Amino acid sequence: MTAYDPDNIFARILRGELPSARIFETDEVVAFMDVMPQSAGHCLVVPKAASRNLLDASDETLRSLLPAAARLARAAKQAFAADGVTISQFNERAAGQTVFHLHIHVIPRYEGQSLQPHSGGMADAARLAEQAQRIRDALEPI
Ligand code: DGP
């Protein structure tokens, strides 16, 4: 497997070198809005620990990730009055991965609406910040 690149976009977001519309942070993970949303409220949960994807992640990293994704999914569903939530995660380029730091997509779904393309158009930063606030307001306490 290709080595982890510590200068990938999400590593730089985690270090605060690039901006993101942050939703929450714990000791283990950071959640922020996806800048190329496939639906209204599309967000990501990213472990702080370095791995390319699920294939090289430690069990410890994976253990913290799914509860965080579920918490984020519940909040995003409520905040956007969504009808459902798609959870997705890609491993390596052949599987559709474009950013090589492990992350889980939390994609609110709406009856009768298909998804925008994966890694499609960029969303407006102010709009993403407002959406992050809406999800933050709907988060359950840990
Ligand atoms: P993938 O690696 O295929 O699971 O998808 C990466 C996702 O990350 C894709 O939905 C677009 C999103 N993305 C790409 N660059 C940035 C960025 O700079 N900031 C944020 N917030 N999201 C990004």
Side-chain angles (χ1 to χ4, degrees):
M1 179 184 252
T2 314
Y4 176 81
D5 171 8
D7 287 325
N8 72 75
I9 290 170
F10 290 171
R12 297 189 64 201
I13 287 175
L14 290 171
R15 290 197 296 268
E17 295 169 6
L18 293 175
S20 67
R22 283 200 185 206
I23 303 163
F24 73 87
E25 177 171 358
T26 68
D27 288 347
E28 293 89 14
V29 303
V30 174
F32 50 83
M33 301 307 296
D34 192 304
V35 85
M36 300 171 192
Q38 292 185 258
S39 73
H42 181 175
C43 48
L44 303 165
V45 60
V46 181
K48 291 181 177 176
S51 68
R52 275 175 73 82
N53 52 45
L54 185 138
L55 302 174
D56 62 337
S58 71
D59 285 356
E60 189 186 358
T61 295
L62 295 175
R63 264 194 292 274
S64 62
L65 200 51
L66 199 54
R71 181 169 176 246
L72 187 59
R74 287 189 290 268
K77 182 174 182 294
Q78 185 186 315
F80 287 86
D83 301 304
V85 183
T86 293
I87 299 293
S88 58
Q89 190 276 319
F90 305 100
N91 300 282
E92 297 300 326
R93 200 175 307 278
Q97 186 175 9
T98 58
V99 177
F100 296 93
H101 181 111
L102 176 60
H103 54 279
I104 292 184
H105 295 261
V106 172
I107 309 176
R109 301 301 302 269
Y110 308 91
E111 290 294 352
Q113 281 186 28
S114 50
L115 291 180
Q116 297 298 310
H118 180 61
S119 290
M122 296 268 285
D124 172 67
R127 184 172 163 77
L128 291 180
E130 184 266 326
Q131 293 182 336
Q133 182 65 54
R134 276 168 68 179
I135 299 175
R136 195 157 46 242
D137 289 343
L139 277 176
E140 304 153 0
I142 295 183

